[in-house]
Amino acid sequence: MADPVGGIILTIFLSVTHVGENQGFPHTPDAAYVCGFDRASYEIDQAGTIDVVFVPSTAARFKMRSVRISNDNRAAPEYATLGIQNRSLQLDAQNRTAQAIYFGVTVEDEKTGQSFECDPQVINIPRPPA
């Protein structure tokens, strides 16, 4: 089991851009928004807090509103939302079971009133017992 660790163990950076209707990526023609994370996936090897923040260039009109968490091992829910502010959110990562964790950040565009989800992948890699 991973030893509990206090503080931030991982910071994930999220960028959101409004590109306009039918201006997104070729395989998502109806998308008006593009989300980008600083990595395609993240790995953690300890327990602690994951901080998700907007990159400074993300327009002030975008706000984080909620987060949906799911994982491979339904019997071992290891992530919980600690708090959501307008421009960031924190997750509690207990990291006791090797598994893939998926979470989707719901972002609201205050200018248009639309909400959409941005979703990276986090893979737990528990440390071997001491």
Side-chain angles (χ1 to χ4, degrees):
M1 176 186 322
D3 297 329
V5 174
I8 305 291
I9 58 169
L10 175 64
T11 299
I12 296 174
F13 295 94
L14 170 59
S15 175
V16 176
T17 304
H18 179 257
V19 293
E21 296 296 330
N22 299 314
Q23 300 299 314
F25 292 111
H27 298 293
T28 56
D30 297 330
Y33 299 92
V34 175
C35 299
F37 290 91
D38 59 320
R39 295 187 200 159
S41 65
Y42 303 86
E43 295 180 356
I44 60 172
D45 63 358
Q46 59 187 319
T49 301
I50 296 174
D51 200 16
V52 181
V53 299
F54 281 132
V55 296
S57 63
T58 298
R61 70 195 252 185
F62 296 110
K63 307 294 183 197
M64 293 186 194
R65 294 300 188 209
S66 64
V67 62
R68 175 192 47 79
I69 304 166
S70 61
N71 56 303
D72 287 347
N73 184 349
R74 301 270 184 232
E78 298 193 25
Y79 283 64
T81 306
L82 292 176
I84 300 173
Q85 294 77 40
N86 286 330
R87 306 281 295 169
S88 67
L89 63 89
Q90 293 74 44
L91 301 172
D92 174 43
Q94 295 177 21
N95 197 26
R96 292 182 291 222
T97 306
Q99 62 182 310
I101 305 295
Y102 304 92
F103 67 92
V105 178
T106 300
V107 175
E108 179 185 356
D109 180 348
E110 290 187 323
K111 184 174 179 180
T112 66
Q114 292 184 341
S115 293
F116 50 94
E117 188 172 87
C118 303
D119 53 351
Q121 176 184 10
V122 178
I123 299 173
N124 279 5
I125 304 175
R127 290 182 284 180

PDB file of all heavy atoms in Angstrom, residues 26-50:
ATOM      1  N   PRO A  26     -11.088  17.476 -37.207  1.00  0.00           N
ATOM      2  CA  PRO A  26     -11.844  16.823 -38.293  1.00  0.00           C
ATOM      3  C   PRO A  26     -12.811  15.743 -37.829  1.00  0.00           C
ATOM      4  O   PRO A  26     -13.871  15.599 -38.411  1.00  0.00           O
ATOM      5  CB  PRO A  26     -10.741  16.222 -39.172  1.00  0.00           C
ATOM      6  CG  PRO A  26      -9.557  17.090 -38.924  1.00  0.00           C
ATOM      7  CD  PRO A  26      -9.659  17.494 -37.471  1.00  0.00           C
ATOM      8  N   HIS A  27     -12.481  14.981 -36.793  1.00  0.00           N
ATOM      9  CA  HIS A  27     -13.363  13.887 -36.367  1.00  0.00           C
ATOM     10  C   HIS A  27     -14.399  14.329 -35.341  1.00  0.00           C
ATOM     11  O   HIS A  27     -15.181  13.512 -34.847  1.00  0.00           O
ATOM     12  CB  HIS A  27     -12.535  12.721 -35.825  1.00  0.00           C
ATOM     13  CG  HIS A  27     -11.636  12.146 -36.865  1.00  0.00           C
ATOM     14  ND1 HIS A  27     -12.093  11.481 -37.979  1.00  0.00           N
ATOM     15  CD2 HIS A  27     -10.294  12.177 -36.974  1.00  0.00           C
ATOM     16  CE1 HIS A  27     -11.075  11.108 -38.736  1.00  0.00           C
ATOM     17  NE2 HIS A  27      -9.969  11.525 -38.142  1.00  0.00           N
ATOM     18  N   THR A  28     -14.425  15.597 -35.020  1.00  0.00           N
ATOM     19  CA  THR A  28     -15.447  16.159 -34.131  1.00  0.00           C
ATOM     20  C   THR A  28     -15.975  17.445 -34.761  1.00  0.00           C
ATOM     21  O   THR A  28     -15.804  18.534 -34.225  1.00  0.00           O
ATOM     22  CB  THR A  28     -14.878  16.440 -32.728  1.00  0.00           C
ATOM     23  OG1 THR A  28     -13.742  17.303 -32.867  1.00  0.00           O
ATOM     24  CG2 THR A  28     -14.488  15.178 -32.006  1.00  0.00           C
ATOM     25  N   PRO A  29     -16.633  17.327 -35.906  1.00  0.00           N
ATOM     26  CA  PRO A  29     -17.023  18.519 -36.663  1.00  0.00           C
ATOM     27  C   PRO A  29     -18.000  19.441 -35.946  1.00  0.00           C
ATOM     28  O   PRO A  29     -18.035  20.629 -36.235  1.00  0.00           O
ATOM     29  CB  PRO A  29     -17.651  17.938 -37.933  1.00  0.00           C
ATOM     30  CG  PRO A  29     -18.100  16.570 -37.545  1.00  0.00           C
ATOM     31  CD  PRO A  29     -17.090  16.094 -36.536  1.00  0.00           C
ATOM     32  N   ASP A  30     -18.794  18.910 -35.008  1.00  0.00           N
ATOM     33  CA  ASP A  30     -19.767  19.758 -34.324  1.00  0.00           C
ATOM     34  C   ASP A  30     -19.191  20.442 -33.087  1.00  0.00           C
ATOM     35  O   ASP A  30     -19.875  21.248 -32.457  1.00  0.00           O
ATOM     36  CB  ASP A  30     -21.001  18.939 -33.923  1.00  0.00           C
ATOM     37  CG  ASP A  30     -21.726  18.398 -35.150  1.00  0.00           C
ATOM     38  OD1 ASP A  30     -21.659  19.056 -36.206  1.00  0.00           O
ATOM     39  OD2 ASP A  30     -22.325  17.323 -35.051  1.00  0.00           O
ATOM     40  N   ALA A  31     -17.972  20.104 -32.734  1.00  0.00           N
ATOM     41  CA  ALA A  31     -17.388  20.669 -31.524  1.00  0.00           C
ATOM     42  C   ALA A  31     -17.044  22.142 -31.732  1.00  0.00           C
ATOM     43  O   ALA A  31     -16.523  22.537 -32.764  1.00  0.00           O
ATOM     44  CB  ALA A  31     -16.136  19.900 -31.138  1.00  0.00           C
ATOM     45  N   ALA A  32     -17.345  22.925 -30.723  1.00  0.00           N
ATOM     46  CA  ALA A  32     -17.010  24.350 -30.759  1.00  0.00           C
ATOM     47  C   ALA A  32     -15.852  24.661 -29.826  1.00  0.00           C
ATOM     48  O   ALA A  32     -15.368  25.779 -29.802  1.00  0.00           O
ATOM     49  CB  ALA A  32     -18.231  25.177 -30.376  1.00  0.00           C
ATOM     50  N   TYR A  33     -15.413  23.648 -29.047  1.00  0.00           N
ATOM     51  CA  TYR A  33     -14.365  23.853 -28.049  1.00  0.00           C
ATOM     52  C   TYR A  33     -13.257  22.826 -28.219  1.00  0.00           C
ATOM     53  O   TYR A  33     -13.503  21.702 -28.628  1.00  0.00           O
ATOM     54  CB  TYR A  33     -14.938  23.721 -26.630  1.00  0.00           C
ATOM     55  CG  TYR A  33     -16.000  24.752 -26.360  1.00  0.00           C
ATOM     56  CD1 TYR A  33     -17.331  24.471 -26.592  1.00  0.00           C
ATOM     57  CD2 TYR A  33     -15.651  26.014 -25.900  1.00  0.00           C
ATOM     58  CE1 TYR A  33     -18.308  25.427 -26.369  1.00  0.00           C
ATOM     59  CE2 TYR A  33     -16.617  26.978 -25.682  1.00  0.00           C
ATOM     60  CZ  TYR A  33     -17.947  26.685 -25.913  1.00  0.00           C
ATOM     61  OH  TYR A  33     -18.897  27.636 -25.701  1.00  0.00           O
ATOM     62  N   VAL A  34     -12.051  23.227 -27.880  1.00  0.00           N
ATOM     63  CA  VAL A  34     -10.914  22.315 -27.884  1.00  0.00           C
ATOM     64  C   VAL A  34     -10.303  22.336 -26.492  1.00  0.00           C
ATOM     65  O   VAL A  34     -10.030  23.410 -25.945  1.00  0.00           O
ATOM     66  CB  VAL A  34      -9.858  22.734 -28.933  1.00  0.00           C
ATOM     67  CG1 VAL A  34      -8.634  21.847 -28.843  1.00  0.00           C
ATOM     68  CG2 VAL A  34     -10.458  22.692 -30.332  1.00  0.00           C
ATOM     69  N   CYS A  35     -10.130  21.148 -25.902  1.00  0.00           N
ATOM     70  CA  CYS A  35      -9.481  20.995 -24.594  1.00  0.00           C
ATOM     71  C   CYS A  35      -8.111  20.376 -24.834  1.00  0.00           C
ATOM     72  O   CYS A  35      -7.965  19.506 -25.688  1.00  0.00           O
ATOM     73  CB  CYS A  35     -10.261  20.044 -23.692  1.00  0.00           C
ATOM     74  SG  CYS A  35     -11.924  20.561 -23.302  1.00  0.00           S
ATOM     75  N   GLY A  36      -7.159  20.785 -24.053  1.00  0.00           N
ATOM     76  CA  GLY A  36      -5.839  20.189 -24.137  1.00  0.00           C
ATOM     77  C   GLY A  36      -5.210  20.079 -22.764  1.00  0.00           C
ATOM     78  O   GLY A  36      -5.259  21.024 -21.980  1.00  0.00           O
ATOM     79  N   PHE A  37      -4.656  18.912 -22.470  1.00  0.00           N
ATOM     80  CA  PHE A  37      -3.932  18.703 -21.225  1.00  0.00           C
ATOM     81  C   PHE A  37      -2.444  18.684 -21.527  1.00  0.00           C
ATOM     82  O   PHE A  37      -2.041  18.420 -22.661  1.00  0.00           O
ATOM     83  CB  PHE A  37      -4.372  17.394 -20.562  1.00  0.00           C
ATOM     84  CG  PHE A  37      -5.770  17.459 -20.012  1.00  0.00           C
ATOM     85  CD1 PHE A  37      -6.858  17.089 -20.778  1.00  0.00           C
ATOM     86  CD2 PHE A  37      -5.988  17.915 -18.719  1.00  0.00           C
ATOM     87  CE1 PHE A  37      -8.140  17.166 -20.280  1.00  0.00           C
ATOM     88  CE2 PHE A  37      -7.275  17.990 -18.209  1.00  0.00           C
ATOM     89  CZ  PHE A  37      -8.349  17.621 -18.986  1.00  0.00           C
ATOM     90  N   ASP A  38      -1.621  18.954 -20.534  1.00  0.00           N
ATOM     91  CA  ASP A  38      -0.183  19.019 -20.768  1.00  0.00           C
ATOM     92  C   ASP A  38       0.430  17.653 -21.043  1.00  0.00           C
ATOM     93  O   ASP A  38       1.572  17.579 -21.488  1.00  0.00           O
ATOM     94  CB  ASP A  38       0.542  19.734 -19.619  1.00  0.00           C
ATOM     95  CG  ASP A  38       0.351  19.075 -18.274  1.00  0.00           C
ATOM     96  OD1 ASP A  38      -0.768  18.614 -17.970  1.00  0.00           O
ATOM     97  OD2 ASP A  38       1.318  19.030 -17.494  1.00  0.00           O
ATOM     98  N   ARG A  39      -0.306  16.573 -20.824  1.00  0.00           N
ATOM     99  CA  ARG A  39       0.132  15.215 -21.173  1.00  0.00           C
ATOM    100  C   ARG A  39      -1.065  14.418 -21.648  1.00  0.00           C
ATOM    101  O   ARG A  39      -2.196  14.712 -21.294  1.00  0.00           O
ATOM    102  CB  ARG A  39       0.722  14.504 -19.955  1.00  0.00           C
ATOM    103  CG  ARG A  39       1.980  15.133 -19.432  1.00  0.00           C
ATOM    104  CD  ARG A  39       2.576  14.268 -18.348  1.00  0.00           C
ATOM    105  NE  ARG A  39       3.473  15.066 -17.535  1.00  0.00           N
ATOM    106  CZ  ARG A  39       3.826  14.753 -16.319  1.00  0.00           C
ATOM    107  NH1 ARG A  39       3.361  13.669 -15.754  1.00  0.00           N
ATOM    108  NH2 ARG A  39       4.659  15.528 -15.664  1.00  0.00           N
ATOM    109  N   ALA A  40      -0.784  13.347 -22.393  1.00  0.00           N
ATOM    110  CA  ALA A  40      -1.852  12.456 -22.844  1.00  0.00           C
ATOM    111  C   ALA A  40      -2.364  11.595 -21.693  1.00  0.00           C
ATOM    112  O   ALA A  40      -3.533  11.260 -21.623  1.00  0.00           O
ATOM    113  CB  ALA A  40      -1.366  11.571 -23.985  1.00  0.00           C
ATOM    114  N   SER A  41      -1.459  11.205 -20.786  1.00  0.00           N
ATOM    115  CA  SER A  41      -1.854  10.462 -19.590  1.00  0.00           C
ATOM    116  C   SER A  41      -0.858  10.784 -18.485  1.00  0.00           C
ATOM    117  O   SER A  41       0.229  11.305 -18.739  1.00  0.00           O
ATOM    118  CB  SER A  41      -1.926   8.955 -19.847  1.00  0.00           C
ATOM    119  OG  SER A  41      -0.654   8.443 -20.144  1.00  0.00           O
ATOM    120  N   TYR A  42      -1.236  10.489 -17.271  1.00  0.00           N
ATOM    121  CA  TYR A  42      -0.427  10.816 -16.098  1.00  0.00           C
ATOM    122  C   TYR A  42      -0.255   9.561 -15.258  1.00  0.00           C
ATOM    123  O   TYR A  42      -1.150   8.733 -15.200  1.00  0.00           O
ATOM    124  CB  TYR A  42      -1.134  11.888 -15.247  1.00  0.00           C
ATOM    125  CG  TYR A  42      -1.438  13.141 -16.016  1.00  0.00           C
ATOM    126  CD1 TYR A  42      -2.602  13.256 -16.763  1.00  0.00           C
ATOM    127  CD2 TYR A  42      -0.546  14.202 -16.030  1.00  0.00           C
ATOM    128  CE1 TYR A  42      -2.881  14.399 -17.482  1.00  0.00           C
ATOM    129  CE2 TYR A  42      -0.817  15.356 -16.740  1.00  0.00           C
ATOM    130  CZ  TYR A  42      -1.987  15.446 -17.471  1.00  0.00           C
ATOM    131  OH  TYR A  42      -2.255  16.573 -18.194  1.00  0.00           O
ATOM    132  N   GLU A  43       0.870   9.420 -14.608  1.00  0.00           N
ATOM    133  CA  GLU A  43       1.115   8.305 -13.697  1.00  0.00           C
ATOM    134  C   GLU A  43       1.491   8.865 -12.337  1.00  0.00           C
ATOM    135  O   GLU A  43       2.238   9.844 -12.253  1.00  0.00           O
ATOM    136  CB  GLU A  43       2.241   7.418 -14.221  1.00  0.00           C
ATOM    137  CG  GLU A  43       1.897   6.722 -15.507  1.00  0.00           C
ATOM    138  CD  GLU A  43       3.016   5.836 -16.026  1.00  0.00           C
ATOM    139  OE1 GLU A  43       4.116   5.819 -15.426  1.00  0.00           O
ATOM    140  OE2 GLU A  43       2.793   5.164 -17.040  1.00  0.00           O
ATOM    141  N   ILE A  44       0.962   8.243 -11.304  1.00  0.00           N
ATOM    142  CA  ILE A  44       1.331   8.632  -9.948  1.00  0.00           C
ATOM    143  C   ILE A  44       1.762   7.391  -9.190  1.00  0.00           C
ATOM    144  O   ILE A  44       1.290   6.295  -9.451  1.00  0.00           O
ATOM    145  CB  ILE A  44       0.194   9.356  -9.198  1.00  0.00           C
ATOM    146  CG1 ILE A  44      -1.049   8.480  -9.078  1.00  0.00           C
ATOM    147  CG2 ILE A  44      -0.149  10.677  -9.883  1.00  0.00           C
ATOM    148  CD1 ILE A  44      -2.120   9.058  -8.180  1.00  0.00           C
ATOM    149  N   ASP A  45       2.690   7.560  -8.246  1.00  0.00           N
ATOM    150  CA  ASP A  45       3.173   6.424  -7.473  1.00  0.00           C
ATOM    151  C   ASP A  45       3.077   6.676  -5.970  1.00  0.00           C
ATOM    152  O   ASP A  45       3.752   6.033  -5.190  1.00  0.00           O
ATOM    153  CB  ASP A  45       4.605   6.070  -7.872  1.00  0.00           C
ATOM    154  CG  ASP A  45       5.584   7.200  -7.568  1.00  0.00           C
ATOM    155  OD1 ASP A  45       5.164   8.265  -7.095  1.00  0.00           O
ATOM    156  OD2 ASP A  45       6.784   6.995  -7.809  1.00  0.00           O
ATOM    157  N   GLN A  46       2.238   7.629  -5.577  1.00  0.00           N
ATOM    158  CA  GLN A  46       2.052   7.916  -4.159  1.00  0.00           C
ATOM    159  C   GLN A  46       0.663   8.499  -3.927  1.00  0.00           C
ATOM    160  O   GLN A  46      -0.008   8.892  -4.862  1.00  0.00           O
ATOM    161  CB  GLN A  46       3.118   8.889  -3.680  1.00  0.00           C
ATOM    162  CG  GLN A  46       3.131  10.208  -4.424  1.00  0.00           C
ATOM    163  CD  GLN A  46       4.316  11.071  -4.035  1.00  0.00           C
ATOM    164  OE1 GLN A  46       4.654  11.128  -2.869  1.00  0.00           O
ATOM    165  NE2 GLN A  46       4.920  11.709  -5.004  1.00  0.00           N
ATOM    166  N   ALA A  47       0.272   8.528  -2.692  1.00  0.00           N
ATOM    167  CA  ALA A  47      -1.007   9.127  -2.317  1.00  0.00           C
ATOM    168  C   ALA A  47      -0.820  10.619  -2.114  1.00  0.00           C
ATOM    169  O   ALA A  47       0.269  11.082  -1.804  1.00  0.00           O
ATOM    170  CB  ALA A  47      -1.519   8.472  -1.033  1.00  0.00           C
ATOM    171  N   GLY A  48      -1.890  11.374  -2.299  1.00  0.00           N
ATOM    172  CA  GLY A  48      -1.835  12.810  -2.079  1.00  0.00           C
ATOM    173  C   GLY A  48      -2.893  13.531  -2.893  1.00  0.00           C
ATOM    174  O   GLY A  48      -3.895  12.949  -3.281  1.00  0.00           O
ATOM    175  N   THR A  49      -2.649  14.796  -3.157  1.00  0.00           N
ATOM    176  CA  THR A  49      -3.607  15.647  -3.847  1.00  0.00           C
ATOM    177  C   THR A  49      -3.175  15.903  -5.285  1.00  0.00           C
ATOM    178  O   THR A  49      -2.020  16.220  -5.544  1.00  0.00           O
ATOM    179  CB  THR A  49      -3.752  16.996  -3.111  1.00  0.00           C
ATOM    180  OG1 THR A  49      -4.184  16.739  -1.771  1.00  0.00           O
ATOM    181  CG2 THR A  49      -4.752  17.905  -3.798  1.00  0.00           C
ATOM    182  N   ILE A  50      -4.123  15.742  -6.195  1.00  0.00           N
ATOM    183  CA  ILE A  50      -3.917  16.112  -7.595  1.00  0.00           C
ATOM    184  C   ILE A  50      -4.597  17.460  -7.790  1.00  0.00           C
ATOM    185  O   ILE A  50      -5.767  17.631  -7.446  1.00  0.00           O
ATOM    186  CB  ILE A  50      -4.517  15.067  -8.547  1.00  0.00           C
ATOM    187  CG1 ILE A  50      -3.793  13.734  -8.394  1.00  0.00           C
ATOM    188  CG2 ILE A  50      -4.448  15.561  -9.995  1.00  0.00           C
ATOM    189  CD1 ILE A  50      -4.411  12.601  -9.195  1.00  0.00           C
TER     190      ILE A  50
END
